Amino acid sequence: MDAAKCKPGLAVIVRAADEFYAYIDGWKATLADLSSQAGGVWIACPSPSTPAQQIGPELHFLVPPDQLELDEKTPED
């Protein structure tokens, strides 16, 4: 995903390009915030141990934008 298209609130899918993010490959998330100092974006993922119908804790990860793809449920501008 192009860093210029990263806007908080977008639905994304993690597409790990290396082993560091392999454990969250395929996870669906929401862009939470940009981190210009770290060169990545913060994403918020629902906890995998929480059923979808329940509100539970979110997990946050700092991920490079090139390891994210736009989820089809989010329309592009």
Side-chain angles (χ1 to χ4, degrees):
M1 172 175 230
D2 183 3
K5 293 184 178 183
C6 291
K7 298 176 189 166
L10 287 178
V12 295
I13 301 172
V14 178
R15 297 295 181 212
D18 54 40
E19 285 190 39
F20 189 78
Y21 293 103
Y23 68 100
I24 60 171
D25 186 52
W27 284 22
K28 293 186 177 200
T30 303
L31 286 179
D33 198 6
L34 306 176
S35 176
S36 59
Q37 292 177 337
V41 294
W42 285 101
I43 60 171
C45 304
S47 174
S49 62
T50 303
Q53 63 272 21
Q54 293 180 354
I55 297 174
E58 289 183 323
L59 303 175
H60 295 259
F61 299 95
L62 183 63
V63 180
D66 66 345
Q67 295 193 41
L68 298 172
E69 93 179 18
L70 194 61
D71 191 348
E72 57 275 348
K73 75 176 186 179
T74 302
E76 286 196 59
D77 293 341

